[in-house]
Amino acid sequence: MKQNHLSPIVGLAGGIGSGKTTVTQRFNALGIQSVDADDVAREVVLPGSDCLNQIVARFGANILLTDGNLDRKALRDIVFKHPDERRWLESITHPKIKQSIAEQLAKASSPYVLLVHPLLFETGQHKICQLVIAIDVPKALQIKRIIHRDNSTEEQAQNIINAQISNSERLKQADFILKNDSNLIDLDDKVMELNQCILERLNVRD
C-alpha cells in the first residue's frame, strides 16, 4: 500500500525497557508528534474488538481481567513460553496495528513524525521511515527497568528481550543512536541535539 504522508517519518526503535516513552515525551515537548505502536497495540484489543474476541476464543475467558479488558501480562506469559502462540497472536494483531499506525501517521503535521515501535525492524515498519533512531541501553539497566515497571521476574524480562532482535543488530541498522543510560537532564540535551540533526538531514524547518 502506498504511503502518502505530509510529514516525513522517523522511526524510534528500542527494546523493552529502553525508555522509548521517556524519549518520546522529550521529542513531543519540542513539538514533534508521535505514533506509538504500543498504544495502537492496546487499542486493537479493547473490549468488543475482533482481535480480543479471537484471543478469548483461543485462550478462554481467564485471559480477561474482571473489567473485561485483556490481561496483557497473562497473555505475554503464554506467548513468550510458546513461540507458536506468539506467531498466531502476531498474525491477527499485526495487520490491524499496521493499518491503524498508517492512518495516524497520515494525520501528523509536525516537521516530522516519530513512529515509536519496539519491533520496528522485526515487523518491517522501518521500510516506511526516512530515518531511524535506535535507543542504546545496557541490558542490565533494561532488565532492572522491566522488573520495576511490570513487576516481572528476571527470567520473564530476559525472555522478552530475547524475543526481540539484539541491541547490536538494532544499532547497526539505525541512522542515529541515542544513548539512554544517564539522567533526564542529559537526555534532554541529547534529544535537542538529535532533533536539530534530524531537521537538517531531512532539510525541513522547525
Short mmCIF file of all heavy atoms in Angstrom, two decimals, residues 43-108:
data_model
loop_
_atom_site.label_atom_id
_atom_site.label_comp_id
_atom_site.label_asym_id
_atom_site.label_seq_id
_atom_site.Cartn_x
_atom_site.Cartn_y
_atom_site.Cartn_z
N GLU A 43 -5.03 -0.55 21.67
CA GLU A 43 -6.31 -0.15 21.09
C GLU A 43 -6.98 -1.29 20.30
O GLU A 43 -8.19 -1.44 20.33
CB GLU A 43 -6.12 1.06 20.16
CG GLU A 43 -5.79 2.36 20.89
CD GLU A 43 -5.21 3.42 19.95
OE1 GLU A 43 -5.27 3.24 18.72
OE2 GLU A 43 -4.67 4.43 20.47
N VAL A 44 -6.16 -2.09 19.61
CA VAL A 44 -6.75 -3.14 18.75
C VAL A 44 -7.28 -4.33 19.53
O VAL A 44 -7.93 -5.20 18.96
CB VAL A 44 -5.77 -3.62 17.64
CG1 VAL A 44 -5.31 -2.47 16.77
CG2 VAL A 44 -4.60 -4.39 18.22
N VAL A 45 -6.99 -4.38 20.85
CA VAL A 45 -7.52 -5.49 21.67
C VAL A 45 -8.47 -4.99 22.75
O VAL A 45 -8.67 -5.64 23.78
CB VAL A 45 -6.38 -6.33 22.31
CG1 VAL A 45 -5.61 -7.08 21.24
CG2 VAL A 45 -5.44 -5.46 23.15
N LEU A 46 -9.07 -3.82 22.54
CA LEU A 46 -10.04 -3.29 23.50
C LEU A 46 -11.29 -4.18 23.50
O LEU A 46 -11.57 -4.87 22.52
CB LEU A 46 -10.42 -1.85 23.13
CG LEU A 46 -9.37 -0.78 23.43
CD1 LEU A 46 -9.80 0.57 22.87
CD2 LEU A 46 -9.10 -0.67 24.94
N PRO A 47 -12.05 -4.17 24.62
CA PRO A 47 -13.28 -4.98 24.68
C PRO A 47 -14.18 -4.73 23.47
O PRO A 47 -14.41 -3.58 23.08
CB PRO A 47 -13.94 -4.51 25.98
CG PRO A 47 -12.79 -4.10 26.84
CD PRO A 47 -11.79 -3.47 25.89
N GLY A 48 -14.68 -5.81 22.89
CA GLY A 48 -15.56 -5.71 21.72
C GLY A 48 -14.83 -5.79 20.40
O GLY A 48 -15.45 -5.95 19.34
N SER A 49 -13.49 -5.69 20.43
CA SER A 49 -12.72 -5.74 19.18
C SER A 49 -12.65 -7.17 18.64
O SER A 49 -12.73 -8.15 19.39
CB SER A 49 -11.30 -5.21 19.40
OG SER A 49 -10.59 -6.06 20.27
N ASP A 50 -12.49 -7.26 17.34
CA ASP A 50 -12.37 -8.56 16.68
C ASP A 50 -11.15 -9.32 17.20
O ASP A 50 -11.20 -10.54 17.43
CB ASP A 50 -12.27 -8.35 15.17
CG ASP A 50 -12.15 -9.67 14.41
OD1 ASP A 50 -12.99 -10.57 14.64
OD2 ASP A 50 -11.22 -9.81 13.60
N CYS A 51 -10.03 -8.60 17.40
CA CYS A 51 -8.81 -9.25 17.89
C CYS A 51 -9.03 -9.86 19.28
O CYS A 51 -8.62 -11.01 19.52
CB CYS A 51 -7.66 -8.25 17.96
SG CYS A 51 -6.95 -7.81 16.36
N LEU A 52 -9.67 -9.11 20.17
CA LEU A 52 -9.88 -9.64 21.52
C LEU A 52 -10.81 -10.85 21.49
O LEU A 52 -10.58 -11.83 22.21
CB LEU A 52 -10.45 -8.56 22.45
CG LEU A 52 -10.61 -8.99 23.92
CD1 LEU A 52 -9.27 -9.41 24.51
CD2 LEU A 52 -11.24 -7.90 24.77
N ASN A 53 -11.83 -10.79 20.66
CA ASN A 53 -12.75 -11.93 20.54
C ASN A 53 -12.01 -13.19 20.11
O ASN A 53 -12.26 -14.28 20.63
CB ASN A 53 -13.88 -11.61 19.56
CG ASN A 53 -14.82 -10.52 20.09
OD1 ASN A 53 -14.86 -10.29 21.29
ND2 ASN A 53 -15.55 -9.87 19.20
N GLN A 54 -11.09 -13.04 19.16
CA GLN A 54 -10.31 -14.19 18.69
C GLN A 54 -9.36 -14.72 19.78
O GLN A 54 -9.17 -15.94 19.92
CB GLN A 54 -9.50 -13.82 17.45
CG GLN A 54 -10.36 -13.61 16.20
CD GLN A 54 -9.48 -13.41 14.97
OE1 GLN A 54 -8.71 -14.29 14.59
NE2 GLN A 54 -9.60 -12.24 14.35
N ILE A 55 -8.79 -13.81 20.55
CA ILE A 55 -7.87 -14.19 21.64
C ILE A 55 -8.63 -14.98 22.71
O ILE A 55 -8.16 -16.02 23.19
CB ILE A 55 -7.19 -12.94 22.25
CG1 ILE A 55 -6.21 -12.34 21.24
CG2 ILE A 55 -6.47 -13.29 23.55
CD1 ILE A 55 -5.70 -10.96 21.59
N VAL A 56 -9.83 -14.50 23.06
CA VAL A 56 -10.65 -15.20 24.08
C VAL A 56 -11.07 -16.57 23.56
O VAL A 56 -11.07 -17.56 24.30
CB VAL A 56 -11.88 -14.34 24.47
CG1 VAL A 56 -12.83 -15.14 25.36
CG2 VAL A 56 -11.44 -13.07 25.17
N ALA A 57 -11.41 -16.64 22.27
CA ALA A 57 -11.82 -17.92 21.68
C ALA A 57 -10.68 -18.94 21.74
O ALA A 57 -10.91 -20.14 21.90
CB ALA A 57 -12.27 -17.71 20.24
N ARG A 58 -9.46 -18.47 21.65
CA ARG A 58 -8.30 -19.37 21.64
C ARG A 58 -7.84 -19.75 23.05
O ARG A 58 -7.49 -20.90 23.32
CB ARG A 58 -7.14 -18.74 20.87
CG ARG A 58 -5.99 -19.72 20.62
CD ARG A 58 -5.01 -19.12 19.64
NE ARG A 58 -3.92 -20.00 19.29
CZ ARG A 58 -3.83 -20.73 18.19
NH1 ARG A 58 -4.83 -20.71 17.32
NH2 ARG A 58 -2.79 -21.48 17.93
N PHE A 59 -7.81 -18.76 23.96
CA PHE A 59 -7.21 -18.99 25.28
C PHE A 59 -8.23 -19.07 26.43
O PHE A 59 -7.86 -19.39 27.55
CB PHE A 59 -6.19 -17.89 25.60
CG PHE A 59 -5.05 -17.83 24.62
CD1 PHE A 59 -4.88 -16.74 23.79
CD2 PHE A 59 -4.15 -18.88 24.54
CE1 PHE A 59 -3.83 -16.68 22.89
CE2 PHE A 59 -3.08 -18.83 23.64
CZ PHE A 59 -2.94 -17.74 22.81
N GLY A 60 -9.49 -18.75 26.15
CA GLY A 60 -10.50 -18.82 27.19
C GLY A 60 -10.69 -17.50 27.92
O GLY A 60 -9.85 -16.60 27.84
N ALA A 61 -11.80 -17.40 28.65
CA ALA A 61 -12.16 -16.14 29.33
C ALA A 61 -11.23 -15.79 30.47
O ALA A 61 -11.21 -14.64 30.93
CB ALA A 61 -13.60 -16.23 29.85
N ASN A 62 -10.42 -16.76 30.92
CA ASN A 62 -9.49 -16.44 32.01
C ASN A 62 -8.33 -15.55 31.54
O ASN A 62 -7.49 -15.14 32.35
CB ASN A 62 -8.94 -17.72 32.66
CG ASN A 62 -8.21 -18.61 31.67
OD1 ASN A 62 -8.33 -18.42 30.46
ND2 ASN A 62 -7.47 -19.58 32.19
N ILE A 63 -8.31 -15.24 30.24
CA ILE A 63 -7.31 -14.32 29.71
C ILE A 63 -7.76 -12.86 29.89
O ILE A 63 -7.07 -11.93 29.53
CB ILE A 63 -7.01 -14.63 28.22
CG1 ILE A 63 -5.61 -14.13 27.81
CG2 ILE A 63 -8.07 -14.03 27.30
CD1 ILE A 63 -4.50 -14.95 28.37
N LEU A 64 -8.98 -12.69 30.45
CA LEU A 64 -9.54 -11.35 30.68
C LEU A 64 -9.43 -10.94 32.14
O LEU A 64 -9.49 -11.77 33.04
CB LEU A 64 -11.02 -11.31 30.27
CG LEU A 64 -11.35 -11.59 28.80
CD1 LEU A 64 -12.86 -11.63 28.61
CD2 LEU A 64 -10.72 -10.54 27.89
N LEU A 65 -9.30 -9.63 32.35
CA LEU A 65 -9.38 -9.06 33.69
C LEU A 65 -10.85 -8.97 34.09
O LEU A 65 -11.74 -9.14 33.25
CB LEU A 65 -8.73 -7.67 33.72
CG LEU A 65 -7.22 -7.62 33.41
CD1 LEU A 65 -6.80 -6.17 33.15
CD2 LEU A 65 -6.42 -8.23 34.55
N THR A 66 -11.12 -8.67 35.35
CA THR A 66 -12.52 -8.62 35.81
C THR A 66 -13.33 -7.54 35.10
O THR A 66 -14.54 -7.64 35.01
CB THR A 66 -12.57 -8.38 37.34
OG1 THR A 66 -11.77 -7.23 37.65
CG2 THR A 66 -12.05 -9.58 38.10
N ASP A 67 -12.67 -6.50 34.58
CA ASP A 67 -13.39 -5.42 33.90
C ASP A 67 -13.60 -5.70 32.41
O ASP A 67 -14.13 -4.86 31.68
CB ASP A 67 -12.68 -4.07 34.08
CG ASP A 67 -11.28 -4.05 33.48
OD1 ASP A 67 -10.87 -5.07 32.88
OD2 ASP A 67 -10.59 -3.01 33.59
N GLY A 68 -13.18 -6.90 31.96
CA GLY A 68 -13.38 -7.27 30.56
C GLY A 68 -12.22 -6.93 29.64
O GLY A 68 -12.22 -7.31 28.46
N ASN A 69 -11.23 -6.21 30.17
CA ASN A 69 -10.05 -5.90 29.35
C ASN A 69 -9.10 -7.10 29.32
O ASN A 69 -9.16 -7.98 30.19
CB ASN A 69 -9.31 -4.68 29.93
CG ASN A 69 -9.94 -3.37 29.50
OD1 ASN A 69 -9.87 -2.99 28.34
ND2 ASN A 69 -10.58 -2.68 30.44
N LEU A 70 -8.23 -7.11 28.32
CA LEU A 70 -7.26 -8.18 28.18
C LEU A 70 -6.24 -8.13 29.31
O LEU A 70 -5.72 -7.06 29.66
CB LEU A 70 -6.53 -8.02 26.83
CG LEU A 70 -5.41 -9.02 26.52
CD1 LEU A 70 -5.97 -10.44 26.40
CD2 LEU A 70 -4.69 -8.63 25.23
N ASP A 71 -5.96 -9.30 29.88
CA ASP A 71 -4.89 -9.41 30.88
C ASP A 71 -3.59 -9.57 30.11
O ASP A 71 -3.18 -10.68 29.75
CB ASP A 71 -5.15 -10.62 31.80
CG ASP A 71 -4.13 -10.70 32.94
OD1 ASP A 71 -3.04 -10.10 32.81
OD2 ASP A 71 -4.43 -11.37 33.94
N ARG A 72 -2.96 -8.45 29.81
CA ARG A 72 -1.79 -8.46 28.93
C ARG A 72 -0.62 -9.24 29.52
O ARG A 72 0.13 -9.90 28.79
CB ARG A 72 -1.37 -7.01 28.63
CG ARG A 72 -2.40 -6.27 27.77
CD ARG A 72 -2.08 -4.79 27.69
NE ARG A 72 -0.86 -4.54 26.97
CZ ARG A 72 -0.79 -4.46 25.64
NH1 ARG A 72 -1.87 -4.61 24.90
NH2 ARG A 72 0.37 -4.21 25.06
N LYS A 73 -0.48 -9.18 30.83
CA LYS A 73 0.62 -9.91 31.48
C LYS A 73 0.41 -11.42 31.34
O LYS A 73 1.35 -12.16 31.02
CB LYS A 73 0.72 -9.51 32.95
CG LYS A 73 1.97 -10.07 33.64
CD LYS A 73 2.11 -9.52 35.05
CE LYS A 73 3.42 -9.97 35.68
NZ LYS A 73 3.57 -11.42 35.77
N ALA A 74 -0.83 -11.88 31.55
CA ALA A 74 -1.12 -13.32 31.42
C ALA A 74 -0.89 -13.79 29.99
O ALA A 74 -0.32 -14.86 29.76
CB ALA A 74 -2.57 -13.60 31.84
N LEU A 75 -1.32 -12.96 29.03
CA LEU A 75 -1.13 -13.33 27.62
C LEU A 75 0.36 -13.36 27.27
O LEU A 75 0.83 -14.26 26.58
CB LEU A 75 -1.87 -12.35 26.72
CG LEU A 75 -1.76 -12.61 25.21
CD1 LEU A 75 -2.36 -13.97 24.84
CD2 LEU A 75 -2.45 -11.51 24.41
N ARG A 76 1.08 -12.37 27.77
CA ARG A 76 2.51 -12.29 27.50
C ARG A 76 3.25 -13.52 28.05
O ARG A 76 4.13 -14.07 27.40
CB ARG A 76 3.09 -11.00 28.11
CG ARG A 76 4.48 -10.66 27.62
CD ARG A 76 4.84 -9.23 27.94
NE ARG A 76 4.83 -8.98 29.37
CZ ARG A 76 4.83 -7.77 29.91
NH1 ARG A 76 4.78 -6.71 29.14
NH2 ARG A 76 4.85 -7.61 31.21
N ASP A 77 2.86 -13.94 29.25
CA ASP A 77 3.48 -15.13 29.85
C ASP A 77 3.28 -16.36 28.95
O ASP A 77 4.18 -17.19 28.81
CB ASP A 77 2.89 -15.41 31.24
CG ASP A 77 3.36 -14.39 32.28
OD1 ASP A 77 4.33 -13.66 31.98
OD2 ASP A 77 2.75 -14.32 33.37
N ILE A 78 2.09 -16.46 28.34
CA ILE A 78 1.79 -17.61 27.46
C ILE A 78 2.62 -17.54 26.18
O ILE A 78 3.31 -18.49 25.81
CB ILE A 78 0.29 -17.66 27.09
CG1 ILE A 78 -0.56 -17.96 28.33
CG2 ILE A 78 0.04 -18.72 26.01
CD1 ILE A 78 -2.05 -17.79 28.11
N VAL A 79 2.56 -16.38 25.51
CA VAL A 79 3.16 -16.30 24.17
C VAL A 79 4.69 -16.32 24.20
O VAL A 79 5.31 -16.75 23.22
CB VAL A 79 2.64 -15.09 23.36
CG1 VAL A 79 1.14 -15.18 23.17
CG2 VAL A 79 3.04 -13.77 23.99
N PHE A 80 5.29 -15.87 25.31
CA PHE A 80 6.75 -15.91 25.35
C PHE A 80 7.28 -17.28 25.74
O PHE A 80 8.45 -17.58 25.57
CB PHE A 80 7.30 -14.81 26.26
CG PHE A 80 7.30 -13.46 25.58
CD1 PHE A 80 6.39 -12.48 25.96
CD2 PHE A 80 8.18 -13.19 24.55
CE1 PHE A 80 6.37 -11.25 25.31
CE2 PHE A 80 8.16 -11.96 23.90
CZ PHE A 80 7.25 -11.00 24.28
N LYS A 81 6.40 -18.14 26.25
CA LYS A 81 6.79 -19.52 26.53
C LYS A 81 6.53 -20.42 25.32
O LYS A 81 7.13 -21.48 25.18
CB LYS A 81 6.00 -20.06 27.73
CG LYS A 81 6.53 -19.59 29.07
CD LYS A 81 5.67 -20.13 30.20
CE LYS A 81 5.99 -19.42 31.50
NZ LYS A 81 4.92 -19.58 32.49
N HIS A 82 5.58 -20.01 24.47
CA HIS A 82 5.17 -20.84 23.33
C HIS A 82 5.26 -20.02 22.03
O HIS A 82 4.33 -19.28 21.69
CB HIS A 82 3.74 -21.34 23.53
CG HIS A 82 3.55 -22.07 24.82
ND1 HIS A 82 3.99 -23.35 25.03
CD2 HIS A 82 2.97 -21.68 25.99
CE1 HIS A 82 3.69 -23.73 26.27
NE2 HIS A 82 3.07 -22.74 26.87
N PRO A 83 6.37 -20.15 21.31
CA PRO A 83 6.57 -19.36 20.08
C PRO A 83 5.46 -19.50 19.06
O PRO A 83 5.13 -18.53 18.37
CB PRO A 83 7.90 -19.91 19.53
CG PRO A 83 8.60 -20.44 20.74
CD PRO A 83 7.54 -20.97 21.64
N ASP A 84 4.84 -20.69 18.96
CA ASP A 84 3.74 -20.88 18.00
C ASP A 84 2.56 -19.98 18.34
O ASP A 84 1.89 -19.44 17.44
CB ASP A 84 3.27 -22.34 17.97
CG ASP A 84 4.27 -23.24 17.24
OD1 ASP A 84 5.15 -22.69 16.56
OD2 ASP A 84 4.16 -24.47 17.37
N GLU A 85 2.29 -19.85 19.64
CA GLU A 85 1.18 -18.98 20.07
C GLU A 85 1.51 -17.52 19.80
O GLU A 85 0.64 -16.73 19.44
CB GLU A 85 0.88 -19.19 21.57
CG GLU A 85 0.42 -20.60 21.93
CD GLU A 85 -0.93 -20.97 21.31
OE1 GLU A 85 -1.53 -20.16 20.58
OE2 GLU A 85 -1.39 -22.11 21.57
N ARG A 86 2.79 -17.17 19.96
CA ARG A 86 3.19 -15.79 19.69
C ARG A 86 3.02 -15.48 18.21
O ARG A 86 2.54 -14.40 17.84
CB ARG A 86 4.65 -15.57 20.11
CG ARG A 86 5.13 -14.13 19.88
CD ARG A 86 6.35 -13.81 20.70
NE ARG A 86 7.49 -14.63 20.35
CZ ARG A 86 8.41 -14.30 19.45
NH1 ARG A 86 8.31 -13.17 18.78
NH2 ARG A 86 9.42 -15.09 19.22
N ARG A 87 3.40 -16.44 17.36
CA ARG A 87 3.23 -16.23 15.91
C ARG A 87 1.75 -16.11 15.54
O ARG A 87 1.39 -15.30 14.69
CB ARG A 87 3.90 -17.38 15.14
CG ARG A 87 5.41 -17.25 15.04
CD ARG A 87 6.00 -18.26 14.09
NE ARG A 87 6.06 -19.59 14.68
CZ ARG A 87 7.07 -20.04 15.42
NH1 ARG A 87 8.10 -19.26 15.66
NH2 ARG A 87 7.04 -21.27 15.92
N TRP A 88 0.91 -16.92 16.18
CA TRP A 88 -0.53 -16.83 15.91
C TRP A 88 -1.05 -15.45 16.32
O TRP A 88 -1.80 -14.81 15.57
CB TRP A 88 -1.30 -17.92 16.69
CG TRP A 88 -2.78 -17.74 16.57
CD1 TRP A 88 -3.58 -18.15 15.55
CD2 TRP A 88 -3.64 -17.02 17.48
NE1 TRP A 88 -4.89 -17.75 15.76
CE2 TRP A 88 -4.94 -17.04 16.94
CE3 TRP A 88 -3.41 -16.36 18.69
CZ2 TRP A 88 -6.02 -16.44 17.57
CZ3 TRP A 88 -4.49 -15.76 19.33
CH2 TRP A 88 -5.78 -15.80 18.77
N LEU A 89 -0.67 -15.00 17.53
CA LEU A 89 -1.13 -13.71 18.03
C LEU A 89 -0.71 -12.58 17.08
O LEU A 89 -1.51 -11.70 16.75
CB LEU A 89 -0.56 -13.46 19.44
CG LEU A 89 -0.96 -12.14 20.09
CD1 LEU A 89 -2.45 -12.11 20.39
CD2 LEU A 89 -0.16 -11.92 21.37
N GLU A 90 0.55 -12.63 16.65
CA GLU A 90 1.05 -11.60 15.74
C GLU A 90 0.31 -11.62 14.40
O GLU A 90 0.09 -10.58 13.79
CB GLU A 90 2.56 -11.79 15.52
CG GLU A 90 3.37 -11.44 16.77
CD GLU A 90 4.84 -11.80 16.64
OE1 GLU A 90 5.20 -12.50 15.65
OE2 GLU A 90 5.61 -11.42 17.52
N SER A 91 -0.10 -12.81 13.96
CA SER A 91 -0.79 -12.92 12.67
C SER A 91 -2.16 -12.24 12.69
O SER A 91 -2.64 -11.79 11.65
CB SER A 91 -0.95 -14.40 12.28
OG SER A 91 -1.97 -15.02 13.04
N ILE A 92 -2.79 -12.17 13.88
CA ILE A 92 -4.09 -11.50 13.92
C ILE A 92 -3.99 -10.02 14.35
O ILE A 92 -4.84 -9.21 13.96
CB ILE A 92 -5.11 -12.23 14.83
CG1 ILE A 92 -4.68 -12.18 16.30
CG2 ILE A 92 -5.35 -13.65 14.38
CD1 ILE A 92 -5.83 -12.39 17.27
N THR A 93 -2.96 -9.68 15.12
CA THR A 93 -2.87 -8.30 15.61
C THR A 93 -2.03 -7.38 14.71
O THR A 93 -2.37 -6.21 14.52
CB THR A 93 -2.29 -8.25 17.05
OG1 THR A 93 -1.00 -8.88 17.05
CG2 THR A 93 -3.22 -8.94 18.03
N HIS A 94 -0.95 -7.90 14.14
CA HIS A 94 -0.03 -7.04 13.38
C HIS A 94 -0.69 -6.34 12.19
O HIS A 94 -0.44 -5.13 11.98
CB HIS A 94 1.21 -7.81 12.95
CG HIS A 94 2.21 -7.97 14.05
ND1 HIS A 94 3.47 -8.52 13.87
CD2 HIS A 94 2.14 -7.66 15.37
CE1 HIS A 94 4.12 -8.53 15.02
NE2 HIS A 94 3.34 -8.03 15.94
N PRO A 95 -1.54 -7.02 11.39
CA PRO A 95 -2.18 -6.30 10.28
C PRO A 95 -3.06 -5.14 10.76
O PRO A 95 -3.06 -4.06 10.14
CB PRO A 95 -3.03 -7.39 9.60
CG PRO A 95 -2.36 -8.67 9.96
CD PRO A 95 -1.85 -8.47 11.35
N LYS A 96 -3.78 -5.34 11.85
CA LYS A 96 -4.64 -4.27 12.40
C LYS A 96 -3.79 -3.12 12.93
O LYS A 96 -4.13 -1.94 12.73
CB LYS A 96 -5.50 -4.82 13.55
CG LYS A 96 -6.44 -5.93 13.14
CD LYS A 96 -7.78 -5.38 12.72
CE LYS A 96 -8.79 -6.48 12.49
NZ LYS A 96 -10.00 -6.00 11.86
N ILE A 97 -2.70 -3.47 13.62
CA ILE A 97 -1.80 -2.45 14.17
C ILE A 97 -1.19 -1.63 13.03
O ILE A 97 -1.15 -0.40 13.08
CB ILE A 97 -0.69 -3.11 15.02
CG1 ILE A 97 -1.30 -3.72 16.30
CG2 ILE A 97 0.39 -2.10 15.40
CD1 ILE A 97 -0.35 -4.63 17.07
N LYS A 98 -0.75 -2.33 11.99
CA LYS A 98 -0.12 -1.66 10.85
C LYS A 98 -1.08 -0.67 10.18
O LYS A 98 -0.71 0.45 9.83
CB LYS A 98 0.32 -2.74 9.84
CG LYS A 98 1.41 -2.33 8.90
CD LYS A 98 1.91 -3.54 8.12
CE LYS A 98 2.98 -3.12 7.14
NZ LYS A 98 3.48 -4.26 6.36
N GLN A 99 -2.32 -1.09 10.01
CA GLN A 99 -3.33 -0.25 9.38
C GLN A 99 -3.60 1.01 10.21
O GLN A 99 -3.65 2.13 9.69
CB GLN A 99 -4.63 -1.04 9.20
CG GLN A 99 -5.75 -0.24 8.54
CD GLN A 99 -7.07 -1.00 8.52
OE1 GLN A 99 -7.13 -2.19 8.85
NE2 GLN A 99 -8.14 -0.33 8.14
N SER A 100 -3.75 0.82 11.52
CA SER A 100 -4.04 1.95 12.40
C SER A 100 -2.85 2.92 12.47
O SER A 100 -3.03 4.14 12.47
CB SER A 100 -4.38 1.44 13.81
OG SER A 100 -4.70 2.52 14.66
N ILE A 101 -1.64 2.37 12.50
CA ILE A 101 -0.44 3.21 12.52
C ILE A 101 -0.40 4.09 11.27
O ILE A 101 -0.15 5.29 11.34
CB ILE A 101 0.84 2.34 12.61
CG1 ILE A 101 1.02 1.81 14.04
CG2 ILE A 101 2.07 3.13 12.19
CD1 ILE A 101 2.15 0.81 14.20
N ALA A 102 -0.66 3.49 10.11
CA ALA A 102 -0.62 4.23 8.83
C ALA A 102 -1.63 5.38 8.85
O ALA A 102 -1.33 6.49 8.41
CB ALA A 102 -0.90 3.28 7.67
N GLU A 103 -2.82 5.11 9.38
CA GLU A 103 -3.87 6.14 9.43
C GLU A 103 -3.45 7.29 10.34
O GLU A 103 -3.68 8.46 10.03
CB GLU A 103 -5.18 5.52 9.93
CG GLU A 103 -5.83 4.58 8.91
CD GLU A 103 -6.95 3.74 9.49
OE1 GLU A 103 -7.24 3.87 10.71
OE2 GLU A 103 -7.55 2.94 8.74
N GLN A 104 -2.85 6.96 11.49
CA GLN A 104 -2.45 8.01 12.44
C GLN A 104 -1.25 8.81 11.94
O GLN A 104 -1.18 10.02 12.13
CB GLN A 104 -2.15 7.39 13.81
CG GLN A 104 -3.39 6.82 14.49
CD GLN A 104 -3.11 6.29 15.89
OE1 GLN A 104 -2.38 6.91 16.66
NE2 GLN A 104 -3.70 5.16 16.23
N LEU A 105 -0.30 8.13 11.29
CA LEU A 105 0.86 8.84 10.73
C LEU A 105 0.43 9.85 9.67
O LEU A 105 0.99 10.94 9.57
CB LEU A 105 1.83 7.83 10.11
CG LEU A 105 2.67 6.98 11.06
CD1 LEU A 105 3.39 5.88 10.28
CD2 LEU A 105 3.66 7.82 11.85
N ALA A 106 -0.58 9.49 8.90
CA ALA A 106 -1.06 10.35 7.80
C ALA A 106 -1.66 11.66 8.32
O ALA A 106 -1.74 12.64 7.59
CB ALA A 106 -2.07 9.60 6.95
N LYS A 107 -2.06 11.67 9.59
CA LYS A 107 -2.67 12.88 10.17
C LYS A 107 -1.64 13.84 10.77
O LYS A 107 -1.98 14.94 11.19
CB LYS A 107 -3.67 12.48 11.26
CG LYS A 107 -4.87 11.71 10.74
CD LYS A 107 -5.72 11.22 11.90
CE LYS A 107 -6.86 10.33 11.39
NZ LYS A 107 -7.57 9.68 12.51
N ALA A 108 -0.38 13.42 10.86
CA ALA A 108 0.65 14.23 11.52
C ALA A 108 0.94 15.50 10.72
O ALA A 108 0.90 15.50 9.50
CB ALA A 108 1.92 13.42 11.69
#
